[in-house]
Amino acid sequence: MVNLKCPICGGEITVEDDALPGELVEHECGAQLEVVKQNGKLSLRLAEQIGEDWGE
Amino acid sequence: MLQEKELVKQKAKELLLDLLSIYTPSKSEANATKFFEKISKDLNLKLEILPDSNSFILGEGDILLASHVDTVYGYIEPKIENELIYGRGAVDAKGPLISMIIATWLLNEKGIKVRVSGLADEESTSIGAKELIAKNYNFKYIIVGEPSNATDIVVEYRGSIQLDIMCEGTPEHSSSAKNNLIVDISKKIIEVYKQPENYDKPSIVPTIIRAGESYNVTPAKLYLHLDIRYAINNKREDLIKEITDKFPECNLKIVDETPPVKVSINNPVVKSLARALLKQNIKPRLVKKAGTSDMNILQRITTNIATYGPGNSMLEHTTQEKISLDEIYIGVKTYMLAIEELWQKI
């Protein structure tokens, strides 16, 4: 497991060692975050908002 | 890899054209019994038929791929043109269902136990999903198969309330009538009507109204049906109270209700689907949908649930339903990669 910081509240958040760039996680503060990998290191950024679609 | 892709596309073409040739509007799912009996033998998957709803379950295990076999009304002759398959339900949801059946077959061949269901009546009142609940079926993880453009993972659906309103009035000769149920209730409908605007705003839409028997007599009875849609953040009780207060002289009856659903993006099913897409270099998109699906019902079995499937959601219920074999392949691959991860957690 890798400990990262929530870019919104600064709180700690844990992601799997094998987390893929683009993976999404929700912090307990409510922020929805996306895993990014830069220079071999994982970090988090604010994810796109949940989109809307119609139908079933 | 190419060999696997061609195998999947060939099987998908064969099975989907076969299933599309069977007309299965809601409550006619028994028409597909022979199809499921045949694939049970051909794909070596145990078949179970839920007797009350005529739903079909293939395979074994604690993970369920849950799609539906019924379609909306209106048969469309199936055909294939340049790897695009057309037909009623090609998108909603026989394309996703066939993707799930193929994924289940390939996973079971690898020793990964998973079940796939062609549930009944999703386009009506979800009696197939409700039969799973009533009979205490238990699954650790559920992926619901509905068209989500092969890229989107649905984490939230609105709920619905189907409300009947029965009103009574005093019939009078129309040439001198002072009271008129049609006029009175029409005013109230306009006051209570909430046009669908966006996901978070509830909608109240009249869909059926019946009154009157004679040209020259004002009606003694009026029947009105309201279709109410609301998001998880809306207060159901407030909506019901608003309508009850508006029609105090009428009898109100909820004839069907589907609760809204919202799952955490941290849930293992959402995570495994997102990872499965990323492994195919597809960026996953999380979405919420304005309609309802069997996910609203099946959340009662497990909250480890999400909806995903191939097919352009804009084509649902249209006469233009079509799906490409490439979309189906992405669907099969995504289901397989996701379940391979979930399987390790059991």
Side-chain angles (χ1 to χ4, degrees):
Chain A
M1 300 292 258
V2 185
N3 290 326
L4 302 172
K5 273 205 183 326
C6 170
I8 305 304
C9 72
E12 196 169 274
I13 183 164
T14 308
V15 300
E16 302 280 344
D17 293 320
D18 65 347
L20 298 169
E23 244 179 76
L24 300 160
V25 287
E26 185 167 10
H27 189 233
E28 58 194 28
C29 71
Q32 293 177 342
L33 308 166
E34 179 182 337
V35 174
V36 287
K37 199 171 192 177
Q38 278 183 324
N39 304 322
K41 286 184 74 175
L42 294 176
S43 61
L44 295 165
R45 70 178 175 203
L46 196 60
E48 275 177 36
Q49 279 201 321
I50 293 179
E52 281 187 31
D53 196 7
W54 76 306
E56 298 160 12
Chain B
M1 184 67 94
L2 187 63
Q3 204 180 0
E4 180 203 61
K5 186 171 180 177
E6 287 312 310
L7 169 76
V8 166
K9 285 168 70 170
Q10 192 181 328
K11 200 75 188 164
K13 177 180 154 185
E14 173 199 325
L15 293 179
L16 184 53
L17 285 170
D18 199 2
L19 186 56
L20 290 174
S21 71
I22 306 165
Y23 186 44
T24 54
S26 305
K27 313 278 192 306
S28 305
E29 293 83 356
N31 294 345
T33 304
K34 280 186 182 156
F35 170 84
F36 280 94
E37 285 171 349
K38 183 173 185 302
I39 58 171
S40 167
K41 280 184 194 154
D42 292 352
L43 306 183
N44 193 29
L45 296 167
K46 186 182 146 199
L47 173 65
E48 188 183 351
I49 300 176
L50 301 184
D52 298 343
S53 63
N54 271 315
S55 295
F56 305 93
I57 303 177
L58 291 161
E60 295 169 85
D62 297 328
I63 302 174
L64 178 68
L65 293 171
S67 191
H68 60 93
V69 71
D70 65 311
T71 65
V72 292
Y73 285 89
Y75 183 72
I76 300 170
E77 190 67 38
K79 64 175 180 181
I80 180 163
E81 279 176 6
N82 301 321
E83 298 208 333
L84 272 175
I85 296 184
Y86 297 74
R88 171 58 70 214
V91 170
D92 185 12
K94 289 179 176 177
L97 173 60
I98 292 300
S99 303
M100 287 184 150
I101 290 171
I102 294 172
T104 301
W105 167 49
L106 295 173
L107 287 163
N108 276 277
E109 292 290 305
K110 287 176 156 186
I112 297 174
K113 298 292 178 200
V114 53
R115 282 195 266 189
V116 57
S117 63
L119 295 175
D121 199 46
E122 192 277 342
E123 300 293 357
S124 181
T125 54
S126 288
I127 59 172
K130 286 173 184 168
E131 189 173 4
L132 284 181
I133 306 286
K135 298 203 166 143
N136 297 315
Y137 276 79
N138 203 11
F139 299 100
K140 200 161 168 51
Y141 304 113
I142 299 177
I143 301 174
V144 176
E146 289 282 0
S148 69
N149 310 309
T151 55
D152 302 348
I153 302 166
V154 189
V155 293
E156 189 175 340
Y157 280 98
R158 296 206 297 181
S160 78
I161 300 168
Q162 301 303 325
L163 185 68
D164 276 351
I165 300 179
M166 280 79 64
C167 310
E168 292 190 359
T170 307
E172 294 175 58
H173 195 292
S174 54
S175 64
S176 58
K178 297 287 181 289
N179 298 300
N180 189 317
L181 206 47
I182 293 175
V183 175
D184 293 346
I185 298 301
S186 296
K187 286 176 188 164
K188 289 172 188 275
I189 292 172
I190 290 165
E191 286 167 9
V192 84
Y193 173 56
K194 290 185 195 297
Q195 185 179 330
E197 284 179 28
N198 62 48
Y199 187 91
D200 295 306
K201 276 188 88 170
S203 61
I204 300 174
V205 176
T207 53
I208 306 172
I209 185 163
R210 286 190 208 108
E213 289 174 342
S214 307
Y215 287 162
N216 57 355
V217 183
T218 58
K221 288 181 179 175
L222 182 143
Y223 164 74
L224 170 68
H225 184 86
L226 298 179
D227 182 349
I228 303 157
R229 306 282 172 149
Y230 66 106
I232 204 155
N233 294 331
N234 303 138
K235 287 193 176 144
R236 175 195 176 278
E237 288 68 26
D238 290 353
L239 285 165
I240 296 290
K241 185 174 184 309
E242 187 179 337
I243 298 167
T244 309
D245 290 349
K246 191 62 69 185
F247 297 93
E249 72 286 7
C250 302
N251 288 318
L252 277 63
K253 186 180 177 193
I254 293 172
V255 289
D256 191 52
E257 182 160 10
T258 305
V261 57
K262 181 180 183 178
V263 296
S264 164
I265 68 171
N266 291 337
N267 104 49
V269 175
V270 175
K271 205 168 260 301
S272 67
L273 283 168
R275 284 174 60 84
L277 288 166
L278 289 165
K279 284 174 186 173
Q280 299 170 81
N281 297 315
I282 297 169
K283 187 175 169 58
R285 192 172 82 109
L286 299 180
V287 296
K288 49 190 180 183
K289 284 200 172 198
T292 60
S293 81
D294 280 342
M295 178 166 154
N296 298 62
I297 310 286
L298 297 175
Q299 64 173 323
R300 287 172 60 186
I301 294 178
T302 176
T303 53
N304 289 326
I305 188 168
T307 295
Y308 166 84
N312 179 349
S313 57
M314 295 297 284
L315 299 177
E316 289 176 26
H317 301 189
T318 70
T319 53
Q320 311 301 317
E321 284 195 76
K322 63 180 180 220
I323 192 165
S324 74
L325 293 175
D326 280 334
E327 284 175 279
I328 291 182
Y329 176 71
I330 292 169
V332 171
K333 199 75 192 156
T334 305
Y335 293 135
M336 288 182 70
L337 289 167
I339 286 168
E340 281 167 0
E341 284 210 357
L342 292 170
W343 171 254
Q344 289 170 20
K345 296 179 195 290
I346 291 180

Short mmCIF file of all heavy atoms in Angstrom, two decimals, chain A residues 16 18-27 32-34 45 48-56, chain B residues 92 122-123 146 149 157 199 265-266 271 275 278 283 286-292 313-314 316-317:
data_model
loop_
_atom_site.label_atom_id
_atom_site.label_comp_id
_atom_site.label_asym_id
_atom_site.label_seq_id
_atom_site.Cartn_x
_atom_site.Cartn_y
_atom_site.Cartn_z
N GLU A 16 -3.55 1.16 -3.41
CA GLU A 16 -2.82 -0.11 -3.61
C GLU A 16 -1.48 0.16 -4.31
O GLU A 16 -1.36 1.11 -5.10
CB GLU A 16 -3.65 -1.05 -4.50
CG GLU A 16 -5.04 -1.39 -3.98
CD GLU A 16 -5.06 -2.46 -2.91
OE1 GLU A 16 -4.05 -3.18 -2.77
OE2 GLU A 16 -6.07 -2.56 -2.21
N ASP A 18 -0.27 -1.42 -6.69
CA ASP A 18 -0.38 -1.58 -8.14
C ASP A 18 -1.43 -0.65 -8.75
O ASP A 18 -1.94 -0.92 -9.84
CB ASP A 18 -0.68 -3.04 -8.49
CG ASP A 18 -2.05 -3.48 -7.97
OD1 ASP A 18 -2.65 -2.75 -7.15
OD2 ASP A 18 -2.54 -4.55 -8.40
N ALA A 19 -1.75 0.46 -8.04
CA ALA A 19 -2.75 1.39 -8.56
C ALA A 19 -2.34 1.90 -9.94
O ALA A 19 -1.16 2.19 -10.18
CB ALA A 19 -2.91 2.57 -7.60
N LEU A 20 -3.30 1.98 -10.83
CA LEU A 20 -3.01 2.41 -12.20
C LEU A 20 -3.31 3.90 -12.36
O LEU A 20 -4.27 4.40 -11.76
CB LEU A 20 -3.89 1.64 -13.19
CG LEU A 20 -3.72 0.13 -13.23
CD1 LEU A 20 -4.84 -0.52 -14.05
CD2 LEU A 20 -2.35 -0.23 -13.83
N PRO A 21 -2.51 4.60 -13.15
CA PRO A 21 -2.85 6.00 -13.44
C PRO A 21 -4.25 6.07 -14.04
O PRO A 21 -4.58 5.28 -14.93
CB PRO A 21 -1.79 6.42 -14.48
CG PRO A 21 -0.69 5.45 -14.32
CD PRO A 21 -1.28 4.17 -13.85
N GLY A 22 -5.05 6.96 -13.52
CA GLY A 22 -6.43 7.07 -14.01
C GLY A 22 -7.43 6.43 -13.06
O GLY A 22 -8.63 6.65 -13.17
N GLU A 23 -6.92 5.60 -12.13
CA GLU A 23 -7.82 4.99 -11.14
C GLU A 23 -8.46 6.07 -10.27
O GLU A 23 -7.85 7.12 -10.03
CB GLU A 23 -7.03 4.03 -10.24
CG GLU A 23 -7.49 2.60 -10.39
CD GLU A 23 -6.71 1.65 -9.53
OE1 GLU A 23 -6.95 1.62 -8.31
OE2 GLU A 23 -5.84 0.93 -10.06
N LEU A 24 -9.64 5.79 -9.78
CA LEU A 24 -10.38 6.80 -9.01
C LEU A 24 -10.56 6.35 -7.57
O LEU A 24 -10.82 5.17 -7.30
CB LEU A 24 -11.74 7.02 -9.66
CG LEU A 24 -11.65 7.50 -11.12
CD1 LEU A 24 -12.94 7.26 -11.87
CD2 LEU A 24 -11.27 8.97 -11.18
N VAL A 25 -10.39 7.29 -6.66
CA VAL A 25 -10.62 6.99 -5.24
C VAL A 25 -11.38 8.16 -4.61
O VAL A 25 -11.27 9.29 -5.06
CB VAL A 25 -9.30 6.77 -4.45
CG1 VAL A 25 -8.66 5.45 -4.79
CG2 VAL A 25 -8.32 7.90 -4.66
N GLU A 26 -12.12 7.83 -3.58
CA GLU A 26 -12.84 8.90 -2.87
C GLU A 26 -12.26 9.00 -1.46
O GLU A 26 -12.17 7.99 -0.75
CB GLU A 26 -14.34 8.56 -2.81
CG GLU A 26 -15.15 9.69 -2.20
CD GLU A 26 -16.65 9.50 -2.42
OE1 GLU A 26 -17.06 8.41 -2.87
OE2 GLU A 26 -17.38 10.44 -2.11
N HIS A 27 -11.85 10.21 -1.09
CA HIS A 27 -11.31 10.41 0.25
C HIS A 27 -12.46 10.62 1.23
O HIS A 27 -13.57 10.97 0.83
CB HIS A 27 -10.37 11.63 0.27
CG HIS A 27 -9.61 11.77 1.56
ND1 HIS A 27 -9.63 12.93 2.28
CD2 HIS A 27 -8.86 10.89 2.25
CE1 HIS A 27 -8.88 12.77 3.37
NE2 HIS A 27 -8.41 11.52 3.37
N GLN A 32 -13.31 13.43 -4.75
CA GLN A 32 -13.12 12.32 -5.68
C GLN A 32 -11.83 12.59 -6.46
O GLN A 32 -11.70 13.63 -7.11
CB GLN A 32 -14.33 12.19 -6.61
CG GLN A 32 -15.54 11.75 -5.78
CD GLN A 32 -16.82 11.64 -6.56
OE1 GLN A 32 -16.94 12.19 -7.64
NE2 GLN A 32 -17.78 10.94 -6.00
N LEU A 33 -10.93 11.63 -6.37
CA LEU A 33 -9.55 11.86 -6.82
C LEU A 33 -9.12 10.85 -7.86
O LEU A 33 -9.64 9.72 -7.89
CB LEU A 33 -8.60 11.79 -5.61
CG LEU A 33 -9.00 12.69 -4.42
CD1 LEU A 33 -8.23 12.30 -3.17
CD2 LEU A 33 -8.77 14.16 -4.77
N GLU A 34 -8.15 11.27 -8.66
CA GLU A 34 -7.63 10.40 -9.71
C GLU A 34 -6.15 10.15 -9.45
O GLU A 34 -5.40 11.08 -9.14
CB GLU A 34 -7.82 11.08 -11.07
CG GLU A 34 -7.30 10.27 -12.24
CD GLU A 34 -7.46 11.00 -13.57
OE1 GLU A 34 -8.32 11.89 -13.67
OE2 GLU A 34 -6.68 10.68 -14.48
N ARG A 45 -4.85 13.77 -7.95
CA ARG A 45 -5.39 15.07 -8.34
C ARG A 45 -6.92 14.96 -8.36
O ARG A 45 -7.46 13.84 -8.37
CB ARG A 45 -4.86 15.50 -9.71
CG ARG A 45 -5.40 14.68 -10.87
CD ARG A 45 -4.87 15.21 -12.20
NE ARG A 45 -5.30 14.34 -13.29
CZ ARG A 45 -4.69 14.25 -14.46
NH1 ARG A 45 -3.61 14.95 -14.70
NH2 ARG A 45 -5.14 13.45 -15.41
N GLU A 48 -12.40 14.28 -12.58
CA GLU A 48 -13.54 14.90 -13.26
C GLU A 48 -14.80 14.62 -12.45
O GLU A 48 -14.93 13.56 -11.84
CB GLU A 48 -13.75 14.26 -14.63
CG GLU A 48 -12.92 14.84 -15.73
CD GLU A 48 -13.15 14.07 -17.04
OE1 GLU A 48 -14.28 13.63 -17.30
OE2 GLU A 48 -12.16 13.91 -17.77
N GLN A 49 -15.75 15.54 -12.51
CA GLN A 49 -17.02 15.30 -11.81
C GLN A 49 -17.76 14.14 -12.45
O GLN A 49 -17.59 13.86 -13.64
CB GLN A 49 -17.89 16.55 -11.93
CG GLN A 49 -17.51 17.60 -10.91
CD GLN A 49 -18.65 18.58 -10.69
OE1 GLN A 49 -19.32 18.94 -11.62
NE2 GLN A 49 -18.84 19.00 -9.46
N ILE A 50 -18.58 13.46 -11.65
CA ILE A 50 -19.39 12.37 -12.19
C ILE A 50 -20.31 12.93 -13.26
O ILE A 50 -21.01 13.92 -13.04
CB ILE A 50 -20.19 11.68 -11.06
CG1 ILE A 50 -19.21 10.96 -10.11
CG2 ILE A 50 -21.20 10.69 -11.62
CD1 ILE A 50 -19.85 10.27 -8.95
N GLY A 51 -20.28 12.32 -14.45
CA GLY A 51 -21.07 12.80 -15.56
C GLY A 51 -22.53 12.37 -15.47
O GLY A 51 -22.89 11.58 -14.60
N GLU A 52 -23.35 12.92 -16.35
CA GLU A 52 -24.77 12.55 -16.39
C GLU A 52 -25.07 11.87 -17.70
O GLU A 52 -24.55 12.25 -18.75
CB GLU A 52 -25.65 13.79 -16.27
CG GLU A 52 -25.78 14.28 -14.86
CD GLU A 52 -26.80 15.42 -14.73
OE1 GLU A 52 -27.76 15.45 -15.50
OE2 GLU A 52 -26.58 16.27 -13.86
N ASP A 53 -25.87 10.83 -17.63
CA ASP A 53 -26.32 10.16 -18.84
C ASP A 53 -27.80 9.89 -18.66
O ASP A 53 -28.33 10.00 -17.56
CB ASP A 53 -25.54 8.86 -19.04
CG ASP A 53 -25.67 8.31 -20.45
OD1 ASP A 53 -26.25 9.00 -21.31
OD2 ASP A 53 -25.18 7.20 -20.70
N TRP A 54 -28.45 9.55 -19.72
CA TRP A 54 -29.88 9.29 -19.60
C TRP A 54 -30.13 7.79 -19.70
O TRP A 54 -29.22 7.01 -19.96
CB TRP A 54 -30.65 10.05 -20.67
CG TRP A 54 -30.54 9.44 -22.03
CD1 TRP A 54 -29.37 9.14 -22.69
CD2 TRP A 54 -31.61 9.01 -22.85
NE1 TRP A 54 -29.66 8.58 -23.89
CE2 TRP A 54 -31.03 8.47 -24.03
CE3 TRP A 54 -33.00 9.02 -22.74
CZ2 TRP A 54 -31.79 7.95 -25.07
CZ3 TRP A 54 -33.75 8.51 -23.78
CH2 TRP A 54 -33.15 7.99 -24.92
N GLY A 55 -31.36 7.41 -19.52
CA GLY A 55 -31.78 6.02 -19.73
C GLY A 55 -31.37 5.12 -18.60
O GLY A 55 -31.13 5.54 -17.47
N GLU A 56 -31.30 3.82 -18.95
CA GLU A 56 -31.05 2.80 -17.92
C GLU A 56 -29.57 2.63 -17.70
O GLU A 56 -29.07 1.58 -17.44
CB GLU A 56 -31.70 1.49 -18.35
CG GLU A 56 -33.20 1.62 -18.49
CD GLU A 56 -33.81 0.53 -19.34
OE1 GLU A 56 -33.13 -0.45 -19.65
OE2 GLU A 56 -34.97 0.68 -19.73
N ASP B 92 -30.15 -2.47 -25.76
CA ASP B 92 -30.79 -2.58 -24.44
C ASP B 92 -31.65 -3.82 -24.38
O ASP B 92 -32.82 -3.79 -24.75
CB ASP B 92 -31.61 -1.31 -24.19
CG ASP B 92 -32.22 -1.25 -22.81
OD1 ASP B 92 -31.84 -2.08 -21.95
OD2 ASP B 92 -33.08 -0.40 -22.58
N GLU B 122 -37.22 -6.19 -16.79
CA GLU B 122 -36.51 -4.97 -16.37
C GLU B 122 -37.16 -3.73 -16.97
O GLU B 122 -37.17 -2.66 -16.36
CB GLU B 122 -35.03 -5.06 -16.79
CG GLU B 122 -34.14 -4.00 -16.17
CD GLU B 122 -34.14 -2.67 -16.90
OE1 GLU B 122 -34.56 -2.63 -18.09
OE2 GLU B 122 -33.76 -1.66 -16.30
N GLU B 123 -37.73 -3.89 -18.18
CA GLU B 123 -38.35 -2.74 -18.84
C GLU B 123 -39.72 -2.41 -18.26
O GLU B 123 -40.36 -1.45 -18.70
CB GLU B 123 -38.49 -3.01 -20.35
CG GLU B 123 -37.17 -3.27 -21.08
CD GLU B 123 -36.26 -2.06 -21.12
OE1 GLU B 123 -36.66 -0.98 -20.64
OE2 GLU B 123 -35.14 -2.20 -21.61
N GLU B 146 -26.00 -3.06 -18.60
CA GLU B 146 -26.83 -2.13 -19.37
C GLU B 146 -25.88 -1.35 -20.26
O GLU B 146 -24.70 -1.20 -19.93
CB GLU B 146 -27.56 -1.14 -18.44
CG GLU B 146 -28.66 -1.73 -17.59
CD GLU B 146 -29.95 -1.96 -18.37
OE1 GLU B 146 -30.00 -1.66 -19.58
OE2 GLU B 146 -30.91 -2.47 -17.77
N ASN B 149 -22.00 2.75 -23.11
CA ASN B 149 -21.04 3.23 -24.12
C ASN B 149 -19.69 2.51 -24.06
O ASN B 149 -18.71 2.98 -24.63
CB ASN B 149 -20.84 4.75 -23.99
CG ASN B 149 -22.18 5.48 -23.95
OD1 ASN B 149 -23.03 5.26 -24.81
ND2 ASN B 149 -22.41 6.28 -22.92
N TYR B 157 -28.25 5.90 -9.83
CA TYR B 157 -29.50 6.00 -10.60
C TYR B 157 -30.53 6.73 -9.77
O TYR B 157 -30.55 6.58 -8.53
CB TYR B 157 -30.08 4.61 -10.90
CG TYR B 157 -29.45 3.86 -12.04
CD1 TYR B 157 -28.48 2.89 -11.79
CD2 TYR B 157 -29.85 4.06 -13.35
CE1 TYR B 157 -27.91 2.15 -12.82
CE2 TYR B 157 -29.29 3.33 -14.40
CZ TYR B 157 -28.33 2.38 -14.13
OH TYR B 157 -27.78 1.66 -15.15
N TYR B 199 -30.62 16.09 -13.38
CA TYR B 199 -30.58 14.89 -12.52
C TYR B 199 -31.05 15.17 -11.10
O TYR B 199 -31.78 14.36 -10.51
CB TYR B 199 -29.13 14.35 -12.49
CG TYR B 199 -29.02 13.03 -11.77
CD1 TYR B 199 -29.14 11.83 -12.46
CD2 TYR B 199 -28.84 12.97 -10.40
CE1 TYR B 199 -29.06 10.62 -11.81
CE2 TYR B 199 -28.77 11.76 -9.73
CZ TYR B 199 -28.87 10.59 -10.45
OH TYR B 199 -28.80 9.39 -9.79
N ILE B 265 -17.43 5.21 -4.99
CA ILE B 265 -16.47 4.88 -6.06
C ILE B 265 -15.33 4.03 -5.52
O ILE B 265 -14.53 3.50 -6.28
CB ILE B 265 -15.95 6.14 -6.79
CG1 ILE B 265 -15.06 7.00 -5.91
CG2 ILE B 265 -17.09 6.94 -7.37
CD1 ILE B 265 -14.38 8.12 -6.69
N ASN B 266 -15.26 3.89 -4.19
CA ASN B 266 -14.25 3.00 -3.60
C ASN B 266 -14.72 1.54 -3.58
O ASN B 266 -13.97 0.67 -3.16
CB ASN B 266 -13.94 3.42 -2.16
CG ASN B 266 -13.21 4.75 -2.11
OD1 ASN B 266 -12.56 5.13 -3.08
ND2 ASN B 266 -13.30 5.45 -0.99
N LYS B 271 -14.09 -0.18 -8.73
CA LYS B 271 -12.62 -0.16 -8.87
C LYS B 271 -12.15 -1.18 -9.91
O LYS B 271 -11.33 -0.87 -10.77
CB LYS B 271 -12.01 -0.48 -7.49
CG LYS B 271 -10.62 0.06 -7.30
CD LYS B 271 -10.20 -0.04 -5.85
CE LYS B 271 -10.33 1.25 -5.11
NZ LYS B 271 -9.59 2.39 -5.63
N ARG B 275 -10.28 -0.39 -13.43
CA ARG B 275 -8.95 -0.96 -13.72
C ARG B 275 -8.99 -1.79 -15.02
O ARG B 275 -8.04 -1.79 -15.80
CB ARG B 275 -8.48 -1.82 -12.55
CG ARG B 275 -8.00 -0.98 -11.36
CD ARG B 275 -7.68 -1.85 -10.15
NE ARG B 275 -6.64 -2.84 -10.40
CZ ARG B 275 -5.32 -2.60 -10.32
NH1 ARG B 275 -4.90 -1.38 -10.02
NH2 ARG B 275 -4.45 -3.55 -10.56
N LEU B 278 -8.82 0.65 -17.83
CA LEU B 278 -7.47 1.24 -17.92
C LEU B 278 -6.47 0.27 -18.52
O LEU B 278 -5.58 0.66 -19.29
CB LEU B 278 -7.01 1.71 -16.53
CG LEU B 278 -7.73 2.95 -15.98
CD1 LEU B 278 -7.46 3.11 -14.49
CD2 LEU B 278 -7.31 4.21 -16.75
N LYS B 283 -10.06 5.27 -20.93
CA LYS B 283 -10.26 6.08 -19.73
C LYS B 283 -11.69 5.89 -19.23
O LYS B 283 -12.64 6.20 -19.95
CB LYS B 283 -10.01 7.56 -20.05
CG LYS B 283 -10.02 8.45 -18.82
CD LYS B 283 -9.64 9.88 -19.20
CE LYS B 283 -9.91 10.87 -18.08
NZ LYS B 283 -9.26 10.62 -16.83
N LEU B 286 -17.10 7.97 -14.79
CA LEU B 286 -18.17 7.64 -13.86
C LEU B 286 -19.40 8.46 -14.21
O LEU B 286 -19.29 9.66 -14.46
CB LEU B 286 -17.74 7.93 -12.41
CG LEU B 286 -16.54 7.15 -11.90
CD1 LEU B 286 -16.23 7.53 -10.46
CD2 LEU B 286 -16.76 5.64 -11.99
N VAL B 287 -20.55 7.82 -14.23
CA VAL B 287 -21.77 8.54 -14.58
C VAL B 287 -22.92 8.19 -13.63
O VAL B 287 -22.91 7.16 -12.96
CB VAL B 287 -22.23 8.27 -16.04
CG1 VAL B 287 -21.22 8.76 -17.05
CG2 VAL B 287 -22.56 6.81 -16.27
N LYS B 288 -23.90 9.09 -13.61
CA LYS B 288 -25.17 8.83 -12.95
C LYS B 288 -26.24 8.93 -14.03
O LYS B 288 -26.14 9.74 -14.95
CB LYS B 288 -25.42 9.81 -11.82
CG LYS B 288 -25.21 11.27 -12.15
CD LYS B 288 -25.25 12.10 -10.88
CE LYS B 288 -25.06 13.57 -11.18
NZ LYS B 288 -25.03 14.41 -9.96
N LYS B 289 -27.26 8.09 -13.90
CA LYS B 289 -28.28 8.02 -14.96
C LYS B 289 -29.64 8.40 -14.44
O LYS B 289 -30.02 8.04 -13.32
CB LYS B 289 -28.32 6.61 -15.54
CG LYS B 289 -27.17 6.30 -16.47
CD LYS B 289 -27.54 5.14 -17.35
CE LYS B 289 -26.53 4.90 -18.43
NZ LYS B 289 -27.10 4.08 -19.50
N ALA B 290 -30.38 9.09 -15.31
CA ALA B 290 -31.68 9.63 -14.92
C ALA B 290 -32.76 8.57 -14.80
O ALA B 290 -33.76 8.77 -14.11
CB ALA B 290 -32.11 10.69 -15.93
N GLY B 291 -32.59 7.45 -15.47
CA GLY B 291 -33.60 6.39 -15.41
C GLY B 291 -33.38 5.48 -14.22
O GLY B 291 -32.74 5.86 -13.24
N THR B 292 -33.93 4.29 -14.30
CA THR B 292 -33.68 3.27 -13.27
C THR B 292 -33.21 2.00 -13.98
O THR B 292 -33.38 1.86 -15.19
CB THR B 292 -34.94 2.93 -12.46
OG1 THR B 292 -35.93 2.43 -13.36
CG2 THR B 292 -35.48 4.13 -11.72
N SER B 313 -25.81 4.34 -25.25
CA SER B 313 -27.02 4.50 -24.44
C SER B 313 -28.05 5.41 -25.12
O SER B 313 -29.24 5.31 -24.83
CB SER B 313 -26.66 5.03 -23.06
OG SER B 313 -25.98 6.25 -23.16
N MET B 314 -27.61 6.26 -26.04
CA MET B 314 -28.58 7.13 -26.74
C MET B 314 -29.52 6.33 -27.65
O MET B 314 -30.56 6.84 -28.08
CB MET B 314 -27.83 8.16 -27.60
CG MET B 314 -27.01 9.17 -26.81
SD MET B 314 -28.01 10.20 -25.75
CE MET B 314 -28.72 11.33 -26.93
N GLU B 316 -30.91 3.41 -26.79
CA GLU B 316 -31.86 2.60 -26.01
C GLU B 316 -33.28 2.93 -26.42
O GLU B 316 -33.64 4.11 -26.53
CB GLU B 316 -31.74 2.92 -24.52
CG GLU B 316 -30.49 2.43 -23.86
CD GLU B 316 -30.43 2.88 -22.40
OE1 GLU B 316 -31.48 3.12 -21.78
OE2 GLU B 316 -29.31 2.99 -21.89
N HIS B 317 -34.08 1.91 -26.63
CA HIS B 317 -35.53 2.04 -26.89
C HIS B 317 -35.85 2.68 -28.24
O HIS B 317 -37.01 2.95 -28.51
CB HIS B 317 -36.25 2.83 -25.78
CG HIS B 317 -36.11 2.22 -24.42
ND1 HIS B 317 -36.81 2.64 -23.33
CD2 HIS B 317 -35.34 1.20 -23.97
CE1 HIS B 317 -36.48 1.93 -22.27
NE2 HIS B 317 -35.58 1.05 -22.64
#
